[in-house]
């Protein structure tokens, strides 16, 4: 055998050796299984070793029916190569066939632990790891393990490795609800909503979320959930009814509700009243009036249905409320007629037709729980006989006499039998109990003695002192003689129920629970003691013991963290307790609970730096848990304490990711106030403006864009956005002022000129303000003569008959005009104004001659004008000369 082992270890594909071993296995399966185990143990390659060991396990099970040895081989195979699914599945199958849930859970946990580091390196392992945690969750959720906390933890880990697992999301949510942790279940509705596309399922989820939120008093959240359901299926009358009824219930319960929800609820009831006639329409219309007393359509429908059904007298209070709420309403006259002398409805008064009964049930999501048929015995798990009919006193006396006679004759066993018959009808009979206690002790029949005393302790005829004594004796017997620790524990528990102040019973119970490794029961006991303890120091001590028990024995980091959280609540100034609770809850992947601990305690921390650090950590935890708005709030508080730019930036990112635009704008503004340069400040004002626009606050956004340009006028993109919104708001005057203000601060000459010229165009063409346009063009000239500006100013002066001013502008225009033909045109225009406007003939003639001499010798217009002007002033020789030159240049016959 050893030679075959060596051959297969060296060459696992040695067909001759494999065939030889298989033939030997036909004759001796046990030897074959052991050979395979040795090969697997000696093989260095993990995958091959796992293969050989798995084959050995198959031989142990199929040929030898030895499940124990098979399990041992499979366990070694799993240890050698955790990535191999075959041995793990085979071993899990063995445990399932055996019904050993505890062993199966241990196997799955062991494999999950081995695969976790591999999954971090190889994403392909993550689905398998998620499946393992899902099965663990199912095992812990169901009997016999029945550990909801572990089940939730397992499903959460499954979700970590497969965020798309709808089953894990559903299981966590339902488990949390079953544990009464409804608030913790809420986020999982949104997670499943993100994965489902079926409209019917989405509506069902929203409706279920609404019920859950309502159960914890979150009426507004429930309303939002139902409103989202209606967005998926707007035509469903049931959803309309549920949402409207929830609004109505909120009002009746005096819950704070904004007018939007009130209007929505009233409108939905109106729609239902329009859709369903008769009694239903009557009920729906009055419900709408209960929400919104001044609703015209609801009042109209209520009167209509009231007249139809002969129930106008019931409408009278609603009509009175309508006339008070809406005295100028369209139905005011009809309402006043119906109201008569009836007073308006009181705040809590409701109609008898609120809504159909079915609607109330579905909206509230409730059902009547059946009453318990009978109480459960306080000592769960103890054998219990059916109650016997009351004993006949005469028969009891007869039995006692018979038993005494038998005892006197030393027939003690027969006497014991008769005394037992006495106790069947009278469990607390002193004579019978005294005899049997002595007899059973002498006969070392401690089990029988236990049963007798237990039955007596449960009798309603037993006094408290006797019950305590019997239970104490039962506990002692079970521990020292019978080794029945469960019954001993239950006896001490029952004794504590009778006398909660019994210190010895408490200590004995705690000792026994520790001895029996019943950590869950011990944890529950310590938790009850801590809840009932009024002394703060003692309670803190108990909570610390409980935290240690959770962490070291139960391996329940969540429970340990929650215990430290309660310690932190008792000593809010102790940041060490807070830090410990947070650390443990983080290890348990309960970021939501860790965040809640900080949120509950941070306000009591007096040291500024510690409080700031806690707020920062709170932000990180909330961000990790998906509560982005809460994260932004925490980061904001941290930044406000420390004036930390990075803190404000983290808050802004959280708000922006959550699309909480108004809060994001506030944080961007805080960053702007701390900016080191005008350019940085301008950029942050622009970011704030973008958030404000997303939040629908255009006016504030315009103000922030304006501030951004004041800080840095060179940002063209910001300026373009601001101009766009000013134009959309028809604030043309503000656009012009923006351009001028920006030009006044801009460092570049070309941009200043362009901005002022644009402002002038707007002032002249859009606003019709020629004076303002003239001032803007004058500012253009501050940066040097500009041909376009000079031309416009010359024209403006001419229009105002300011000919001298126009001539001056034209003279400057001529100097900056590069083209000779354009210079000639400007010169002719200047000469014309000198002659016709200024009436300076000499200057006009001189200007015309300059055009001819310097710019355009062939100008017919200049020669004609000179001839005319010289003739006007009697200088005929000069006029004739000008005409002769004109004749020379005239080509037309």
């Amino acid at each position: 055998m050893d030679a075959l082992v060596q051959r297969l270890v060296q060459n696992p594909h040695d067909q001759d050796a494999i065939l030889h071993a298989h033939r030997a296995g036909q004759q001796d399966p046990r030897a074959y299984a052991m050979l395979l185990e040795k090969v697997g143990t000696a093989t260095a390659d993990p995958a091959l070793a796992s293969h050989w060991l798995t084959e050995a396990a198959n031989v142990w099970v199929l040929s030898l029916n030895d499940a124990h040895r098979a399990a041992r081989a499979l366990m070694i195979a799993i240890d050698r190569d955790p990535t191999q699914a075959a041995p793990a599945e085979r071993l899990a199958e063995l445990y399932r066939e055996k019904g050993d849930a505890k062993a199966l859970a241990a196997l799955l946990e062991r494999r999950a632990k081995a695969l976790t580091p591999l999954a971090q390196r190889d994403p392909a392992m993550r689905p398998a790891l998620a499946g393992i945690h899902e099965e663990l969750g199912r095992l812990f959720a169901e009997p016999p393990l029945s550990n909801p906390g572990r089940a939730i933890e397992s499903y959460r880990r499954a979700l970590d490795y497969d965020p798309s697992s709808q089953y894990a999301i559903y299981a966590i949510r339902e488990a949390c609800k079953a544990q009464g942790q409804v608030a913790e279940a809420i986020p999982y509705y949104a997670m499943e909503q993100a994965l489902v596309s079926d409209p019917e399922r989405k509506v069902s989820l929203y409706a279920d979320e609404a019920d859950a939120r309502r159960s914890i008093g979150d009426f507004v959240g429930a309303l939002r959930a139902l409103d989202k359901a209606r967005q998926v299926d707007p035509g469903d009358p049931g959803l309309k009814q549920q949402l409207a009824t929830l609004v109505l219930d909120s009002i009746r319960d005096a819950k704070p509700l904004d007018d939007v929800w009130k209007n929505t609820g009233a409108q939905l009831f109106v729609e239902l009243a329009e859709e369903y006639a008769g009694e239903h329409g009557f009920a729906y219309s009055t419900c709408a009036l209960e929400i919104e007393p001044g609703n015209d359509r609801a009042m109209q429908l209520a009167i209509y249905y009231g007249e139809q059904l002969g129930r106008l007298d019931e409408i009278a209070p609603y009509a009175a409320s309508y006339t008070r709420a809406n005295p100028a309403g369209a139905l005011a006259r009809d309402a006043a007629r119906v109201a008569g002398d009836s007073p308006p409805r009181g705040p809590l008064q409701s109609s008898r037709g609120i809504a159909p009964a079915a609607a109330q049930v579905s909206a509230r999501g409730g059902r009547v729980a059946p009453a318990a048929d009978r109480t459960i015995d306080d000592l769960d798990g103890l054998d219990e006989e059916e109650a016997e009919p009351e004993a006949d006193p005469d028969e009891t006396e007869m039995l006692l006499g018979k038993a005494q006679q038998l005892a006197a004759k030393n027939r003690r066993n027969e006497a014991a039998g008769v005394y037992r018959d006495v106790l069947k009808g009278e469990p607390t009979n002193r004579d019978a109990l005294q005899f049997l206690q002595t007899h059973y002790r002498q006969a070392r029949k401690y089990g029988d003695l236990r049963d007798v005393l237990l039955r007596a302790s449960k009798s309603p005829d037993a006094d408290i002192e006797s019950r305590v004594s019997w239970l104490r004796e039962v506990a002692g017997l079970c521990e020292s003689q019978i080794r029945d620790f469960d019954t001993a524990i239950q006896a001490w528990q029952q004794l504590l129920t009778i006398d909660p102040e019994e210190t010895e019973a408490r200590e004995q119970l705690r000792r026994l629970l520790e001895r029996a490794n019943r950590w869950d029961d011990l944890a529950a006991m310590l938790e009850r003691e801590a809840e009932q303890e009024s002394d703060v120091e003692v309670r803190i001590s108990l909570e610390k013991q409980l935290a240690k028990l959770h962490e070291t024995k139960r391996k329940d980091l969540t429970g340990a963290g929650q215990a430290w959280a309660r310690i932190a609540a008792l000593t809010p100034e102790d940041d060490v307790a807070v830090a410990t609770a947070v650390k443990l809850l983080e290890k348990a992947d309960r970021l939501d609970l860790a965040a809640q601990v900080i949120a509950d305690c941070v306000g009591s921390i007096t040291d500024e730096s510690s409080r700031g650090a806690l707020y920062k950590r709170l932000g990180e935890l909330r961000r990790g848990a998906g509560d982005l708005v809460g994260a932004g709030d925490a980061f904001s508080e941290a930044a406000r304490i420390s004036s930390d730019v990075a803190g404000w930036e983290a808050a802004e990112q959280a708000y922006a990711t959550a699309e909480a635009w108004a809060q994001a704008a506030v944080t961007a503004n805080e960053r702007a106030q701390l900016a080191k340069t005008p350019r940085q400040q301008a950029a942050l004002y622009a970011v704030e403006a973008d958030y404000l626009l997303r939040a629908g606050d255009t006016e504030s956004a315009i103000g922030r864009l304006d501030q951004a340009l004041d800080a840095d006028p060179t940002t063209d993109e910001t300026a373009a956005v601001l101009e766009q919104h000013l134009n959309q708001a028809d604030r043309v005057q503000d656009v012009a002022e923006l351009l001028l203000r920006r030009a006044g601060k801009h460092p570049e000459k070309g941009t200043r000129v362009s901005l002022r010229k644009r402002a002038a165009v707007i002032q002249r063409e859009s606003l019709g303000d020629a004076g303002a346009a003239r001032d803007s063009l004058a500012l253009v000239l501050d940066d040097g003569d500009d041909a376009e500006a000079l031309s416009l100013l010359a024209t403006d002066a001419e229009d105002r008959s300011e000919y001298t001013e126009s001539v001056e502008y034209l003279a400057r225009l001529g100097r900056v005009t590069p083209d000779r033909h354009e210079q000639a045109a400007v010169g002719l225009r200047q000469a014309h104004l000198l002659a016709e406007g200024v009436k300076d003939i000499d200057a006009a003639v001189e200007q015309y001659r300059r055009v001819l001499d310097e710019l355009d010798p062939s100008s017919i217009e200049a020669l004609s004008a000179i001839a005319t002007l010289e003739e006007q002033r009697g200088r005929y020789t000069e006029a004739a000369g000008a005409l002769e030159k004109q004749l020379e240049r005239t080509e037309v016959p």
Side-chain angles (χ1 to χ4, degrees):
M1 179 182 291
D2 290 339
L4 283 175
V5 170
Q6 290 300 321
R7 288 175 62 183
L8 289 172
V9 168
Q10 292 173 4
N11 181 11
H13 304 293
D14 187 337
Q15 293 298 320
D16 184 62
I18 293 173
L19 184 60
H20 193 288
H22 183 68
R23 285 173 180 169
Q26 298 281 337
Q27 299 173 353
D28 188 356
R30 177 177 293 277
Y32 183 45
M34 293 176 67
L35 179 142
L36 292 172
E37 277 192 8
K38 287 184 177 181
V39 174
T41 305
T43 299
D45 184 84
L48 283 172
S50 178
H51 165 74
W52 290 119
L53 289 162
T54 304
E55 289 299 315
N58 288 335
V59 175
W60 284 117
V61 171
L62 299 176
S63 300
L64 302 168
N65 197 27
D66 190 341
H68 177 73
R69 289 294 297 268
R72 177 173 166 271
L74 291 169
M75 190 65 73
I76 299 171
I78 294 168
D79 287 342
R80 291 299 303 275
D81 190 355
T83 64
Q84 297 297 318
E89 284 298 323
R90 189 71 186 92
L91 182 56
E93 186 178 341
L94 288 176
Y95 287 147
R96 292 188 192 102
E97 291 172 358
K98 189 179 176 183
D100 193 345
K102 189 174 182 180
L104 179 57
L107 167 66
L108 293 172
E109 286 184 319
R110 185 176 181 179
R111 188 156 185 250
K113 185 177 181 181
L115 291 179
T116 296
L118 299 176
Q120 293 172 354
R121 297 191 298 269
D122 183 8
M125 299 294 299
R126 296 175 70 87
L129 197 51
I132 290 172
H133 284 298
E134 282 188 7
E135 185 170 4
L136 272 171
R138 287 192 292 271
L139 284 171
F140 285 122
E142 299 169 358
L145 300 183
S146 300
N147 190 331
R150 295 288 298 278
I152 292 171
E153 181 183 350
S154 298
Y155 286 128
R156 281 205 174 96
R157 292 190 181 279
L159 205 55
D160 288 342
Y161 292 105
D162 183 10
S164 64
S165 173
Q166 293 185 40
Y167 176 79
I169 294 170
Y170 170 84
I172 295 172
R173 188 176 65 238
E174 296 305 310
C176 288
K177 288 163 60 179
Q179 290 294 102
Q181 301 169 354
V182 180
E184 295 179 32
I186 296 298
Y188 292 94
Y189 285 103
M191 292 173 68
E192 187 171 353
Q193 286 286 5
L195 298 173
V196 300
S197 56
D198 178 49
E200 187 174 346
R201 178 58 181 161
K202 293 181 83 69
V203 168
S204 175
L205 279 171
Y206 281 130
D208 195 27
E209 180 183 352
D211 288 341
R213 288 185 178 278
R214 179 166 180 165
S215 71
I216 59 174
D218 182 8
F219 278 73
V220 174
L223 289 169
R224 290 198 189 104
L226 286 175
D227 194 49
K228 289 177 182 176
R230 284 190 59 247
Q231 292 173 22
V232 177
D233 188 0
D236 186 347
L239 290 175
K240 288 184 182 181
Q241 184 171 282
Q242 288 186 49
L243 178 54
T245 303
L246 187 54
V247 172
L248 183 61
D249 288 346
S250 300
I251 291 172
R252 289 176 176 172
D253 295 341
K255 303 290 183 186
L257 209 61
D258 61 37
D259 292 335
V260 174
W261 284 120
K262 292 179 182 178
N263 181 261
T264 300
Q267 184 58 36
L268 290 175
F269 272 132
V270 166
E271 291 176 14
L272 289 166
E274 290 171 340
E275 189 173 353
Y276 299 96
E279 293 283 350
H280 285 14
F282 179 89
Y284 288 135
S285 58
T286 54
C287 286
L289 288 170
E290 189 172 348
I291 297 173
E292 203 171 78
N295 189 296
D296 291 329
R297 180 59 173 158
M299 191 70 255
Q300 183 184 27
L301 289 167
I303 293 174
Y304 172 76
Y305 288 127
E307 289 175 342
Q308 262 194 348
L309 300 170
R311 294 169 62 179
L312 269 181
D313 57 325
E314 295 178 37
I315 301 298
Y318 292 96
S321 297
Y322 173 88
T323 56
R324 183 172 64 181
N326 192 5
L331 275 297
R333 181 176 298 175
D334 291 341
R337 171 180 58 82
V338 172
D341 298 329
S342 175
R345 294 177 64 256
L348 297 178
Q349 182 182 350
S350 60
S351 73
R352 63 174 177 158
I354 292 305
Q360 296 184 46
V361 173
S362 64
R364 295 181 182 275
R367 65 183 184 87
V368 179
D373 294 328
R374 61 178 183 175
T375 59
I376 300 173
D377 193 280
D378 291 324
L379 285 175
D380 290 335
L382 297 183
D383 293 332
E384 191 176 355
E385 298 178 18
E386 290 296 324
E388 297 286 343
E390 290 187 10
D392 183 342
D394 294 336
E395 184 179 354
T396 299
E397 286 296 326
M398 181 191 71
L399 289 172
L400 286 172
K402 180 179 178 181
Q404 289 167 359
Q405 291 174 5
L406 290 169
K409 296 175 181 178
N410 206 27
R411 295 162 62 182
R412 302 185 65 79
N413 288 333
E414 295 177 52
V418 177
Y419 276 125
R420 279 200 301 272
D421 291 338
V422 172
L423 292 180
K424 287 181 180 179
E426 191 179 322
T428 59
N429 184 278
R430 290 287 178 183
D431 294 336
L433 284 174
Q434 286 176 1
F435 178 87
L436 289 175
Q437 281 178 281
T438 303
H439 174 69
Y440 284 147
R441 281 188 180 280
Q442 291 174 349
R444 304 185 65 81
K445 293 183 177 182
Y446 300 115
D448 291 339
L449 178 56
R450 173 199 60 194
D451 296 340
V452 165
L453 295 176
L454 279 176
R455 185 176 178 81
S457 69
K458 290 184 287 184
S459 172
D461 297 330
D463 59 80
I464 292 177
E465 185 177 349
S466 298
R467 290 180 68 191
V468 169
S469 174
W470 293 329
L471 287 169
R472 194 183 299 277
E473 187 172 354
V474 167
L477 283 171
C478 289
E479 181 180 1
S480 60
Q481 303 296 338
I482 308 175
R483 317 299 288 175
D484 178 5
F485 295 117
D486 287 342
T487 304
I489 288 169
Q490 291 172 8
W492 287 121
Q493 288 173 334
Q494 181 64 7
L495 199 156
L496 280 173
T497 302
I498 298 170
D499 184 5
E501 303 300 323
E502 176 59 69
T503 306
E504 182 189 354
R506 186 179 293 109
E507 292 302 321
Q508 292 291 344
L509 176 57
R510 185 180 300 181
R511 180 182 58 78
L512 272 177
L513 290 172
E514 290 178 357
R515 184 176 178 182
N517 292 335
R518 289 177 54 170
W519 308 120
D520 292 351
D521 292 334
L522 181 56
M525 175 184 172
L526 288 173
E527 194 166 343
R528 283 195 301 272
E529 287 184 32
E531 287 176 357
Q532 296 166 1
E533 182 58 58
S534 57
D535 187 296
V536 174
E537 293 301 324
V538 175
R539 184 171 181 181
I540 290 173
S541 174
L542 288 169
E543 291 288 6
K544 286 183 177 178
Q545 294 176 47
L546 180 60
K548 183 177 179 181
L549 174 64
H550 281 312
E551 184 178 3
T552 60
K553 297 298 184 182
R554 299 187 67 243
K555 307 300 181 185
D556 180 5
L557 297 179
T558 300
Q562 289 176 317
W564 275 106
R566 292 190 290 271
I567 294 170
L570 294 170
T571 56
E573 72 287 348
D574 182 6
D575 53 354
V576 174
V578 176
T580 306
V582 170
K583 179 180 178 182
L584 287 166
L585 292 169
E586 282 186 85
K587 285 183 178 179
D589 290 336
R590 293 306 308 274
L591 302 185
D592 51 342
L593 295 180
Q596 189 60 49
V597 171
I598 298 179
D600 291 341
C601 300
V602 67
S604 303
I605 303 296
T606 55
D607 181 69
E608 287 288 310
S609 61
S610 298
R611 195 162 78 254
L614 280 174
Y615 271 123
K616 181 179 178 182
R617 188 71 191 112
L618 176 59
E620 293 167 351
L621 290 169
R622 284 176 171 172
R623 183 172 58 194
D627 180 9
L628 294 174
V629 174
D633 294 341
F635 283 132
S636 296
E637 288 297 329
R640 195 168 284 115
I641 291 170
S642 59
S643 298
D644 178 22
V645 176
W648 287 117
E649 185 175 357
E652 179 189 335
Q653 289 174 351
Y655 285 137
T657 305
E659 298 184 0
W661 306 119
Q663 294 97 314
V666 172
T667 54
N669 185 272
E670 294 287 352
R671 289 180 63 200
Q673 304 309 315
L674 298 173
K676 295 181 179 179
T677 66
R679 183 177 292 272
Q680 291 176 346
Q681 190 176 53
L684 288 167
Y685 278 139
V687 171
E688 180 186 2
D690 180 59
Y691 292 146
L692 289 167
L693 288 170
R694 293 170 184 265
D697 189 354
T698 305
E699 282 300 314
S700 298
I702 289 173
R704 290 296 177 268
L705 289 169
D706 209 26
Q707 284 182 276
L709 287 175
D710 280 344
D712 181 11
T714 65
T715 311
D716 294 334
E717 183 180 350
T718 301
V721 174
L722 178 54
E723 286 184 45
Q724 175 189 349
H725 287 289
L726 289 172
N727 283 320
Q728 288 175 349
D730 201 24
R731 292 169 57 175
V732 183
Q733 177 70 41
D734 291 339
V735 174
E737 291 177 1
L738 166 67
L739 294 171
L740 292 172
R741 191 168 66 254
R742 189 176 172 215
K745 295 184 176 183
H746 207 287
E748 297 178 7
K749 172 184 173 181
T751 304
R752 289 197 301 271
V753 170
S754 174
L755 291 170
R756 285 165 175 160
K757 286 162 72 173
R758 284 183 59 206
V761 171
I762 292 172
Q763 290 166 331
R764 183 177 64 251
E765 296 179 1
S766 300
L767 298 174
D769 189 348
R774 182 166 57 252
D775 294 340
S776 297
L777 291 171
L779 291 172
V780 171
L781 300 182
D782 288 348
D783 280 308
D785 285 349
D786 178 87
E788 183 182 3
L790 289 167
S791 177
L792 291 170
L793 286 169
T795 301
D796 175 73
E798 185 179 353
D799 292 343
R800 292 184 287 113
S801 299
E802 296 290 341
Y803 301 112
T804 301
E805 184 181 339
S806 181
V807 167
E808 291 174 357
Y809 284 130
L810 289 171
R812 294 168 66 180
L813 177 59
R815 289 194 290 272
V816 298
T817 302
D819 186 78
R820 289 176 61 85
H821 292 292
E822 292 181 3
Q823 288 179 5
V826 171
L828 290 171
R829 184 179 170 192
Q830 182 181 357
H832 176 76
L833 286 175
L834 286 168
E836 299 298 329
V838 181
K839 306 299 183 182
D840 186 347
I841 303 300
D842 293 340
V845 170
E846 183 182 352
Q847 179 63 23
Y848 279 126
R849 290 191 184 283
R850 191 181 73 80
V851 170
L852 289 169
D853 294 341
E854 300 176 4
L855 302 174
D856 187 6
S858 63
S859 174
I860 300 296
E861 182 181 350
L863 290 169
S864 176
I866 291 172
T868 300
L869 291 173
E870 293 288 22
E871 184 179 359
Q872 286 179 359
R873 60 181 182 174
R875 297 176 62 176
Y876 302 112
T877 301
E878 287 78 0
L883 290 170
E884 285 176 353
K885 290 181 181 180
Q886 185 177 357
L887 281 171
E888 292 173 2
R889 292 165 174 75
T890 300
E891 298 177 358
V892 181

